[in-house]
Amino acid sequence: MQRIRRFEERAEELYLGGELPGFIHLSIGQEACAAGACAALGTDDYITSTHRGHGHCVAKGAPLDRMMAELYAKVTGSCKGKGGSMHIADFSVGMLGANGVVGGGANLAVGATIAARLRGSDQIALCFFGDGASNRGPVHEAMNLAAVWNLPVIFFCENNQWASTTSVKSVMKIEDVADRAAGYGMPGVVVDGNDVLAVYTAVSAWVERVRNGGGPVLIEAKTYRMRGHFVGDPQVYRDAAEVQAQRANDPIQRLEWRLLAEGRLDEAGLARLKDEVEAELAAAVQFGRESPLPEPEAALEDLYATPLPGGVRP
Amino acid sequence: MTDMTFTEATIAAMQEEMRRDPLVFAIGEDMALQGGVFGQFKGLPEEFGVHRVLDTPISETAIVGAAVGAALCGARPVVDMHFADFITTAMDEVVSQAAKARYMFGGQCCVPMVLRMPDGAINSAAGHHSASVEAWLLHTPGVKLVVPSTPADAKGLLKSAIRDDDPVLYFEHKSLFKMRGEVPDGEHIVPLGVAAVRRSGTDVTILSYSQMVYRCLDAAAQLAEAGISAEVVDLRSLRPLDWDTIATSVRKTHRVVVAHEAVRTGGVGAELAAQIGEELFDELDGPVIRVAAHDVPMPFSPPLEKFVLPGAAQVVAAVRRLL
């Protein structure tokens, strides 16, 4: 969680300082979802991600330096500077991509498990999606297909209360996205998405069942998006007091208090942990900053696995 | 050589590829009991079982999206779109996910999938089941487009498409399914990007593909009776495009007609006319003329459908305009 938080805070600073191009969508406040869910998965399991995919990528084990280089649009980035923040991916750790299309990852997760089944593998897929995506058709089709075929998919809804500038309450008649699971004949559960141990426990409890042919599950994590839709969003659509009130529910702060209170970690240990994260992050920023930009002609590469005769027309 | 229908040729291609590679699978609606809406998957469910021939709900978005996900993770899906028109319900999955994944992720992955697209107008199927939509996809970098016209090509191109590591849209005209033809025995592969000269000629080049090739051959026969020698080139794939064959023919005849069943505006004909204009302008003795459907959805009533569709007469008229 600390790695995700600091990666994103640094990205925010660098973006506002004019070092990073494009758009940055942050998941600050939602780290317990990414960290708790991915900790319950195996290295070989797949995830699909959302508009705000940094946290999922970090939690699945992607190296920070290549991620930061991607945000810097450098050739050393995990996507060689062709994806950026919104399309960050690291297939080496089963992270099948953030998605610029809301809900675009749901069916990819279903397909990932079809491929796994054909190979005789017991890999599962966890599909991160948001409350906004839960209103899109592709997500519903994916849930139905996974349910009728008993596929090992965990649909993990990060209900962060805001779909871009729209409150979930104004576009959804029911209180819980999890209730929709009933319509597909799969279990739906709600978990405190700002409690990383609760998320980990909930996802872990379903992983084995899903892996062993029990069919998919919908887990809804109630969380809160602390930042705007994108870095620079003036957030005219919501009251600053609402955001302020959520600070007491910060998932990282909550875990720190709990670990200190239970004596599992002392102040020195916590400081050491934070120092380690800072050192890793400093190296990642340096790597991103010092890496070369791609040669312009690289824009014509990577489109086809079997290139066209004569290449892509410039 | 074995005489078989276009449909049987595609089934043979599927069987051979599914036997050869356990990661090839078929997915679509009406698979289990009917073997595809046109019988183009018949026998496959019995031989390969429900985990290799996936019979889906009517959920085109999920079908194509799941195929993309499976392809990203190493499988080789062959999707049946039922009718090419229905690609609209999965357009995002094709143009935003399948076509862009490899590029956006910097070459980390590939998307080896095939979408079988029954297209074209037959039997008054009207507005939602008659379209030829290849131009939409030609405008989408990242996908390849295959347009077979014979049973032999149906088999050879489908096998190439399945083995290709990129997303391939395989357009099969509905009126061709029952067409019979000789298919070479044994392993028969037609590479993507190699056109076929179906009739040699010296006065005009007629570029076409899919079912329209036959209307062009009819036209060429009529023109021959009037002493006009037309060369008919069957493109076989639109991306990759066999530019060498096109250029060679244009340099020989200096006149070009492009003919397709899809509507005229923004179509493949417009693209070919532009490319030929840019690259071979000095070779041309006249403008590149397009023969295409009128710019309307396909109407229901038989005389209306007949009026909208381009035929041999329109091709003959286009050639006469050039000569």
Side-chain angles (χ1 to χ4, degrees), chain B residues 131-202:
Chain B
S132 294
V133 303
E134 64 274 17
W136 298 345
L137 287 318
L138 185 64
H139 201 63
T140 302
V143 298
K144 295 174 177 173
L145 287 82
V146 173
V147 280
S149 68
T150 69
D153 283 359
K155 180 176 180 185
L157 286 167
L158 184 53
K159 284 169 72 81
S160 288
I162 292 169
R163 293 183 193 188
D164 199 276
D165 285 333
D166 295 308
V168 180
L169 291 131
Y170 177 94
F171 293 92
E172 39 198 349
H173 196 286
K174 297 191 284 288
S175 73
L176 294 176
F177 279 127
K178 289 181 181 163
M179 167 170 285
R180 303 197 73 86
E182 295 287 317
V183 177
D185 296 322
E187 171 94 330
H188 172 60
I189 299 279
V190 176
L192 307 187
V194 180
V197 177
R198 299 292 183 199
R199 180 185 177 117
S200 286
T202 52

Side-chain angles (χ1 to χ4, degrees), chain A residues 27-148:
Chain A
S27 64
I28 286 174
Q30 305 173 207
E31 295 89 345
C33 296
C38 289
L41 300 176
T43 314
D44 290 348
D45 291 326
Y46 297 111
I47 62 165
T48 62
S49 177
T50 68
H51 241 66
R52 37 194 100 256
H54 305 146
H56 307 143
C57 211
V58 173
K60 197 69 178 60
L64 299 192
D65 54 354
R66 299 205 62 199
M67 283 184 65
M68 192 57 88
E70 186 60 30
L71 266 51
Y72 266 98
K74 298 298 181 70
V75 72
T76 52
S78 46
C79 304
K80 298 187 197 166
K82 292 207 175 86
S85 165
M86 217 189 305
H87 313 108
I88 199 153
D90 193 326
F91 279 63
S92 69
V93 294
M95 198 291 190
L96 304 181
N99 214 304
V101 178
V102 172
N107 285 299
L108 303 183
V110 171
T113 65
I114 294 173
R117 195 167 66 179
L118 279 177
R119 288 195 305 263
S121 151
D122 70 348
Q123 290 162 288
I124 69 171
L126 185 140
C127 163
F128 286 106
F129 66 107
D131 45 283
S134 79
N135 292 320
R136 287 208 64 230
V139 175
H140 293 273
E141 290 196 18
M143 288 192 200
N144 186 57
L145 205 59
V148 293

Side-chain angles (χ1 to χ4, degrees), chain A residues 124-241:
Chain A
I124 69 171
L126 185 140
C127 163
F128 286 106
F129 66 107
D131 45 283
S134 79
N135 292 320
R136 287 208 64 230
V139 175
H140 293 273
E141 290 196 18
M143 288 192 200
N144 186 57
L145 205 59
V148 293
W149 288 345
N150 246 26
L151 291 170
V153 183
I154 295 175
F155 293 97
F156 189 97
C157 179
E158 296 175 306
N159 184 345
N160 69 10
Q161 315 300 322
W162 288 93
S164 187
T165 67
T166 301
S167 164
V168 64
K169 291 185 179 66
S170 67
V171 291
M172 209 174 77
K173 188 92 172 178
I174 54 175
E175 180 73 21
D176 297 327
V177 172
D179 286 350
R180 290 175 167 169
Y184 305 107
M186 70 168 122
V189 296
V190 177
V191 62
D192 179 352
N194 279 30
D195 179 345
V196 69
L197 296 176
V199 172
Y200 173 74
T201 305
V203 176
S204 297
W206 289 98
V207 163
E208 285 317 305
R209 178 187 147 142
V210 165
R211 202 184 297 283
N212 294 322
V217 60
L218 169 55
I219 299 174
E220 178 186 8
K222 302 282 192 187
T223 182
Y224 192 77
R225 191 188 80 203
M226 294 300 292
R227 294 294 201 268
H229 175 51
F230 55 92
V231 178
D233 176 3
Q235 299 182 66
V236 291
Y237 49 87
R238 68 178 175 184
D239 196 336

Side-chain angles (χ1 to χ4, degrees), chain B:
Chain B
M1 289 283 196
T2 303
D3 180 71
M4 62 175 81
T5 65
F6 190 102
T7 302
E8 289 163 351
T10 67
I11 294 171
M14 294 290 298
Q15 284 170 330
E16 289 175 19
E17 293 309 299
M18 291 179 78
R19 286 172 193 158
R20 189 183 61 80
D21 182 350
L23 293 175
V24 176
F25 71 98
I27 180 169
E29 298 157 13
D30 300 321
M31 288 282 192
L33 302 177
Q34 198 175 334
V37 69
F38 300 104
Q40 73 275 46
F41 295 88
K42 232 171 205 153
L44 301 179
E46 292 78 3
E47 178 174 354
F48 298 102
V50 295
H51 290 306
R52 302 264 320 267
V53 183
L54 280 68
D55 193 28
T56 70
I58 300 175
S59 304
E60 288 83 4
T61 304
I63 295 166
V64 179
V68 178
L72 285 171
C73 296
R76 306 186 86 87
V78 180
V79 177
D80 178 28
M81 272 320 294
H82 234 221
F83 287 82
D85 310 62
F86 303 163
I87 195 75
T88 49
T89 58
M91 203 61 169
D92 178 68
E93 284 63 32
V94 178
V95 307
S96 300
Q97 312 296 340
K100 293 178 184 169
R102 180 180 166 79
Y103 186 82
M104 281 197 324
F105 301 145
Q108 288 184 73
C109 56
C110 57
V111 188
M113 67 186 287
V114 179
L115 273 91
R116 290 184 60 177
M117 307 272 283
D119 68 345
I122 50 163
N123 303 338
S124 284
H128 289 168
H129 293 74
S130 300
S132 294
V133 303
E134 64 274 17
W136 298 345
L137 287 318
L138 185 64
H139 201 63
T140 302
V143 298
K144 295 174 177 173
L145 287 82
V146 173
V147 280
S149 68
T150 69
D153 283 359
K155 180 176 180 185
L157 286 167
L158 184 53
K159 284 169 72 81
S160 288
I162 292 169
R163 293 183 193 188
D164 199 276
D165 285 333
D166 295 308
V168 180
L169 291 131
Y170 177 94
F171 293 92
E172 39 198 349
H173 196 286
K174 297 191 284 288
S175 73
L176 294 176
F177 279 127
K178 289 181 181 163
M179 167 170 285
R180 303 197 73 86
E182 295 287 317
V183 177
D185 296 322
E187 171 94 330
H188 172 60
I189 299 279
V190 176
L192 307 187
V194 180
V197 177
R198 299 292 183 199
R199 180 185 177 117
S200 286
T202 52
D203 294 331
V204 61
T205 295
I206 304 173
L207 303 176
S208 192
Y209 52 91
S210 188
Q211 207 273 344
M212 192 71 199
V213 168
Y214 297 101
R215 296 174 228 172
C216 294
L217 288 169
D218 281 353
Q222 290 175 33
L223 290 162
E225 287 172 16
I228 299 166
S229 169
E231 178 149 298
V232 178
V233 178
D234 179 355
L235 296 172
R236 300 207 284 194
S237 69
L238 303 177
R239 186 189 289 121
L241 186 67
D242 185 354
W243 180 251
D244 289 344
T245 297
I246 293 170
T248 301
S249 183
V250 173
R251 289 192 177 102
K252 181 167 69 169
T253 65
H254 310 291
R255 297 176 187 87
V256 187
V257 169
V258 185
H260 54 61
E261 184 178 308
V263 297
R264 181 184 184 87
T265 302
V268 173
E271 174 59 31
L272 287 169
Q275 285 194 40
I276 293 165
E278 284 175 348
E279 305 291 332
L280 300 167
F281 184 73
D282 291 344
E283 296 286 342
L284 294 175
D285 287 347
V288 178
I289 309 272
R290 287 174 288 167
V291 174
H294 288 279
D295 280 339
V296 293
M298 199 53 66
F300 165 64
S301 181
L304 304 183
E305 183 186 74
K306 188 166 186 296
F307 177 82
V308 169
L309 286 172
Q314 282 78 9
V315 178
V316 168
V319 170
R320 290 204 171 276
R321 225 184 110 187
L322 276 173
L323 287 163

